[in-house]
Amino acid sequence: MKTFPMFLKMENRRVVFVGGDEEAARKVRLILRTEAEILICAEVLDAELAALVASGRAAHHPGAPVAHHFAGAALAFVATGDEASDTAAADLARAAGVPVNVVDRPELCDAFTPSIVDRDPLVIAIGTEGTAPVLARQVRTRLEEMLEPRLGHLAALAGRMRGLVEQTVPKENRRRFWAWAFNGSPRALHARGAEAEAARLLKDAALAGHVPDGGRGSIALVGAGPGARDLLTLRAVQRLQEADVIFYDRLVDPEVLDLARRDADRVFVGKEVGAHAWPQDRINGVIVAAARRGQRVVRLKSGDPGIFGRASEELEAARAEGIPVEIVPGITAASAASASMGRPLTERGATDRLVIATGTCRPGDADPDWGALATPGTTLALYMAMGKLGPIVRSMTAAGVEPGTEVSIVSEASSPRQQSLTTTLGRVVEEAAAAGLAAPAIIFVRRDKRAAAQGAATRAVA
């Protein structure tokens, strides 16, 4: 390493900024997270910096810095945009023994600004010695996805309890106690928003002076989104990182599973239309059994678990056993498919209603009345419907839906294998077959209310 990472105490220490434009403001924003005193040296300040000075959070010297400004300072940032001025200010700071960072001038820098993941008091800094700041930001994004936003509150609580734990928990058990706190139920509860319950659990264990064994398991029904792993929610990534065992569907992309804990068990419970290798009752049984053993269970489903994902049956099975269960929503296929085409799901003045329906009902149930769903002004999104494309078109035609109504099909949305077709109701069966489109796919029927009204008027005249 050419640089050494270190955290500096900033309370009541001065940081000098030379420059008053947006570049300087970016650096000031970083130091605002600390308790440092801020001095800005510049003839003119942009609106953001001027507001900070007016609020009293920063002091202002209206001109170039002089030597005494740097005396005793902790850090200096230089961002004048002028090469000669940058060099002069950096020389002044260095002469006073102050580490200096000069924006976009790595050869003048004694210190480099890292990308920061801030979960105060947990702080992670990522640096590349000024060589690849874009890469540092990418790493930061990955870490932001992994760490729940309020994790710092749990770390702060642990800090406040450290003295109590040292008094009550035998030394040989303390490491195991903190491993339980950050890997077990307290962390899981805190991540779910049950911060008071997590704090109570920690305090009770500390007062009792022992490390809880076992504990209740839990089940999270997690939406894996449409396919691309960067479309997962932050909460979905967190649950994958916490899980002891993951039960996943056929349509879950392997790259999504790569985000899980390395030592988590992974169980394939693949299902597809018309071929259920894992009946739903069996899935209900295995996820409940795992949670009974104290494991944190993730039931990973493609799309959103609450949309044609049979979540209600798994929720009922968990609740019947008194097992904590939650739904973590995901981006549903209709949203991803429409976005992939550069189209909104609704369009003002044309389609002001969105209807989501399925083409595959429970065995023995009658097919939906698809024609009745496609009323004027509706975008109809049909899931698991490719095998019923012909009957769907006939139902809509019989209901008076115009043959020229726009129909789109998106297969394997957001994946590298995505295919799409936009045509009309009258031609979709023929063109979909010619294009070789197959499930998994979303079918959109966009019945523009203006076109529907024109068609009705034409029929009335005829």
Side-chain angles (χ1 to χ4, degrees), residues 68-256:
H68 75 82
H69 289 136
F70 296 101
L75 285 172
F77 292 90
V78 179
T80 70
D82 176 76
E83 184 173 346
S85 297
D86 282 353
T87 302
D91 288 345
L92 280 174
R94 202 169 287 114
V98 178
V100 62
N101 175 274
V102 183
V103 173
D104 293 333
R105 300 285 303 280
E107 74 279 5
L108 294 179
C109 292
D110 302 311
F112 298 96
T113 306
S115 287
I116 296 174
V117 179
D118 186 359
R119 300 290 191 273
D120 183 34
L122 172 65
V123 179
I124 303 170
I126 306 106
T128 62
E129 298 182 344
T131 60
V134 172
L135 176 60
R137 288 195 290 272
Q138 290 177 352
V139 173
R140 174 195 168 190
T141 298
R142 294 288 181 88
L143 291 171
E144 291 279 9
E145 292 171 351
M146 291 170 57
L147 303 176
E148 54 268 32
R150 292 179 61 81
L151 180 58
H153 292 258
L154 182 61
L157 173 63
R160 293 192 298 271
M161 294 183 57
R162 187 164 295 277
L164 174 62
V165 171
E166 288 179 357
Q167 293 174 18
T168 61
V169 178
K171 185 176 182 179
E172 63 273 17
N173 290 339
R174 287 175 199 159
R175 183 180 295 274
R176 195 158 62 91
F177 179 92
W178 292 117
W180 165 76
F182 290 110
N183 293 323
S185 298
R187 173 79 177 272
L189 287 167
H190 196 278
R192 285 164 170 73
E195 296 181 17
E197 188 176 349
R200 187 164 52 252
L201 194 64
L202 265 179
K203 290 177 182 176
D204 289 347
L207 289 169
H210 74 282
V211 182
D213 293 318
R216 287 191 308 173
S218 63
I219 297 173
L221 310 183
V222 175
R229 81 174 194 170
D230 59 353
L231 290 179
L232 261 71
T233 65
L234 295 179
R235 187 174 296 181
V237 174
Q238 290 163 10
R239 296 299 178 266
L240 288 171
Q241 289 286 316
E242 297 162 359
D244 298 308
V245 58
I246 300 165
F247 297 91
Y248 65 98
D249 279 346
R250 176 181 64 95
L251 297 179
V252 172
D253 193 288
E255 288 194 357
V256 171

Side-chain angles (χ1 to χ4, degrees), residues 153-392:
H153 292 258
L154 182 61
L157 173 63
R160 293 192 298 271
M161 294 183 57
R162 187 164 295 277
L164 174 62
V165 171
E166 288 179 357
Q167 293 174 18
T168 61
V169 178
K171 185 176 182 179
E172 63 273 17
N173 290 339
R174 287 175 199 159
R175 183 180 295 274
R176 195 158 62 91
F177 179 92
W178 292 117
W180 165 76
F182 290 110
N183 293 323
S185 298
R187 173 79 177 272
L189 287 167
H190 196 278
R192 285 164 170 73
E195 296 181 17
E197 188 176 349
R200 187 164 52 252
L201 194 64
L202 265 179
K203 290 177 182 176
D204 289 347
L207 289 169
H210 74 282
V211 182
D213 293 318
R216 287 191 308 173
S218 63
I219 297 173
L221 310 183
V222 175
R229 81 174 194 170
D230 59 353
L231 290 179
L232 261 71
T233 65
L234 295 179
R235 187 174 296 181
V237 174
Q238 290 163 10
R239 296 299 178 266
L240 288 171
Q241 289 286 316
E242 297 162 359
D244 298 308
V245 58
I246 300 165
F247 297 91
Y248 65 98
D249 279 346
R250 176 181 64 95
L251 297 179
V252 172
D253 193 288
E255 288 194 357
V256 171
L257 289 169
D258 287 343
L259 295 171
R261 267 175 48 193
R262 193 172 300 176
D263 57 346
D265 292 330
R266 304 169 191 195
V267 182
F268 174 66
V269 290
K271 297 168 62 176
E272 58 184 303
V273 176
H276 301 321
W278 276 72
Q280 187 62 47
D281 286 347
R282 183 183 177 193
I283 294 173
N284 296 348
V286 294
I287 64 175
V288 166
R292 276 179 178 164
R293 293 192 296 269
Q295 292 183 298
R296 288 166 293 185
V297 176
V298 162
R299 174 70 173 97
L300 190 61
K301 299 166 172 283
S302 63
D304 183 289
I307 299 179
F308 306 125
R310 303 189 71 168
S312 60
E313 296 164 65
E314 292 166 8
L315 288 168
E316 289 171 6
R319 288 167 180 162
E321 297 294 329
I323 296 169
V325 61
E326 66 168 333
I327 297 176
V328 178
I331 294 178
T332 190
S335 294
S338 189
S340 73
M341 296 188 296
R343 293 282 300 276
L345 285 167
T346 59
E347 299 177 26
R348 188 177 184 188
T351 52
D352 49 20
R353 186 184 306 107
L354 172 65
V355 175
I356 294 175
T358 180
T360 304
C361 295
R362 187 172 54 183
D365 287 358
D367 287 338
D369 186 350
W370 295 299
L373 297 175
T375 55
T378 296
T379 296
L380 175 60
L382 292 168
Y383 288 60
M384 299 177 288
M386 287 300 291
K388 296 287 185 73
L389 186 56
I392 288 169

Side-chain angles (χ1 to χ4, degrees), residues 382-454:
L382 292 168
Y383 288 60
M384 299 177 288
M386 287 300 291
K388 296 287 185 73
L389 186 56
I392 288 169
V393 170
R394 290 193 292 273
S395 171
M396 291 187 178
T397 302
V401 179
E402 300 77 15
T405 297
E406 179 185 323
V407 177
S408 299
I409 301 175
V410 181
S411 173
E412 299 197 66
S414 85
S415 79
R417 302 170 299 281
Q418 177 177 309
Q419 293 179 279
S420 61
L421 166 72
T422 298
T423 181
T424 64
L425 185 68
R427 299 180 58 85
V428 65
V429 173
E430 175 187 348
E431 293 189 11
L437 291 176
I442 293 288
I443 301 171
F444 293 108
V445 180
R446 301 178 189 267
R447 194 176 183 193
D448 189 321
K449 61 184 178 183
R450 298 166 300 189
Q454 291 172 0

